[in-house]
Amino acid sequence: MNLSILNKKKQQGEKITCLTAYDASFARLLERAGVDMLMVGDSLGMVIQGQASTLPVKLEHMLYHCQNVRRGCSAEMFVIVDMPFMSYSQAPQALENAAYLVQEGQANMVKLEGGGQVAQCIEAIVAHGIPVCAHLGLTPQSVNKIGGYRVQGRGERNAQTIFEDALKLQDCGANMLVLECVPQQLGKQISEKLEIPVIGIGAGAYCDGQVLVSYDMLGINQMHLPRFVKDFSKEADGWLEAVQKFVAEVKSGQFPASEHCYE
Ligand code: KIV
């Protein structure tokens, strides 16, 4: 998998599948099940480390898990790694840390959260040949500012801000966008407008692809889960089959269904 194949999938209307992975065994299983991309998300702070948020996650943690994931999957697998909180507060620092994750962790792409305030970081990273995935809507690293994990982009003004940020980050060179927890209509508008693939998580059925936290969609995470999560393990015989079901349902448009989407 590579960026030009992913872009072609968007152009041809073929849905892209992505799940989080934090270790070699999961990476192997997800690749075997046919997932297009693996995301070493900083959600590992919550599902692996048991933290209350993603804020305590450090660059070293991301590197460690990225290396583990890379060892478990083939060189062809497209691996996205999250840049943790405060690892991209300035463009030179962002570039240095992104290069570290790509060089030492062998990630194909780095992901960072935020709107216009991360534009310079994105420009600096992509200028050096490192693909960037932007992340808008619910940005968990800003949970204290947002005041909780809630739907973003409701109301015309809020929706317009996210829409404009998406265009701006694409103009700055972002190669992909993760859109989290926004009304389905906004997910549709942004996916139709942008040329880069838009991967939704609680952003409705019209995004170019879907990502979920693997521990959530396999029913491993026993914490409260948002409505956009479907537990695929309930209808499957084992984890491999559950992930295969996720891939099939995303590709066919069966997931997310209306009960997983926000108005
Ligand atoms: O940290 C994470 O796992 C993410 C997601 C988009 C699933 O950012």
Side-chain angles (χ1 to χ4, degrees):
M1 188 57 60
N2 59 46
L3 265 184
S4 59
I5 298 176
L6 292 165
N7 287 331
K8 204 168 282 170
K9 281 184 190 287
K10 173 175 176 122
Q11 286 154 16
Q12 295 176 343
E14 187 191 330
K15 299 286 183 186
I16 298 165
T17 55
C18 182
L19 287 172
T20 64
Y22 316 106
D23 65 50
S25 299
F26 258 86
R28 201 168 289 121
L29 181 134
L30 301 183
E31 181 168 25
R32 197 168 149 210
V35 173
D36 292 318
M37 315 186 288
L38 302 184
M39 184 176 288
V40 187
D42 64 354
S43 50
L44 67 86
M46 296 165 91
V47 297
I48 303 288
Q49 298 176 340
Q51 310 275 9
S53 74
T54 59
L55 300 183
V57 177
K58 300 280 195 313
L59 195 67
E60 288 68 34
H61 302 151
M62 297 312 302
L63 178 65
Y64 172 75
H65 288 282
C66 191
Q67 288 173 330
N68 292 343
V69 165
R70 190 37 102 188
R71 271 184 227 115
C73 62
S74 72
E76 283 71 46
M77 177 52 84
F78 196 81
V79 175
I80 306 169
V81 64
D82 257 336
M83 298 192 66
F85 180 59
M86 291 310 285
S87 67
Y88 50 97
S89 56
Q90 310 245 326
Q93 177 213 22
L95 174 59
E96 189 180 336
N97 290 333
Y100 180 62
L101 291 171
V102 168
Q103 237 172 0
E104 304 294 329
Q106 294 177 52
N108 299 99
M109 174 179 251
V110 297
K111 176 165 82 61
L112 39 89
E113 299 181 6
Q117 77 275 18
V118 297
Q120 287 185 348
C121 294
I122 293 179
E123 278 171 349
I125 297 169
V126 295
H128 287 78
I130 300 173
V132 171
C133 178
H135 183 153
L136 290 170
L138 174 58
T139 48
Q141 290 174 16
S142 304
V143 62
N144 289 322
K145 186 174 166 205
I146 297 169
Y149 298 98
R150 50 175 72 121
V151 183
Q152 301 297 300
R154 277 197 169 130
E156 215 171 298
R157 224 166 165 205
N158 295 329
Q160 190 60 22
T161 303
I162 296 177
F163 186 82
E164 284 168 10
D165 275 344
L167 279 175
K168 182 173 184 169
L169 298 184
Q170 176 178 259
D171 288 348
C172 286
N175 308 89
M176 191 179 288
L177 172 69
V178 162
L179 195 54
E180 179 163 353
C181 228
V182 299
Q184 166 147 264
Q185 195 53 27
L186 180 58
K188 182 172 190 278
Q189 284 166 353
I190 292 175
S191 304
E192 284 173 357
K193 184 73 181 172
L194 294 197
E195 283 163 24
I196 57 175
V198 176
I199 310 300
I201 172 162
Y206 300 98
C207 295
D208 304 307
Q210 299 291 329
V211 58
L212 285 175
V213 170
S214 49
Y215 281 48
D216 295 350
M217 54 76 69
L218 290 174
I220 300 168
N221 186 357
Q222 298 295 301
M223 308 295 276
H224 168 76
L225 297 177
R227 74 178 269 174
F228 62 74
V229 174
K230 174 173 173 178
D231 180 353
F232 286 84
S233 74
K234 284 191 178 146
E235 304 160 8
D237 185 11
W239 287 351
L240 182 68
E241 196 177 302
V243 178
Q244 285 167 335
K245 235 179 156 359
F246 164 79
V247 171
E249 290 196 12
V250 170
K251 298 268 179 210
S252 69
Q254 215 180 315
F255 177 80
S258 54
E259 76 245 39
H260 308 115
C261 301
Y262 300 103
E263 294 292 315

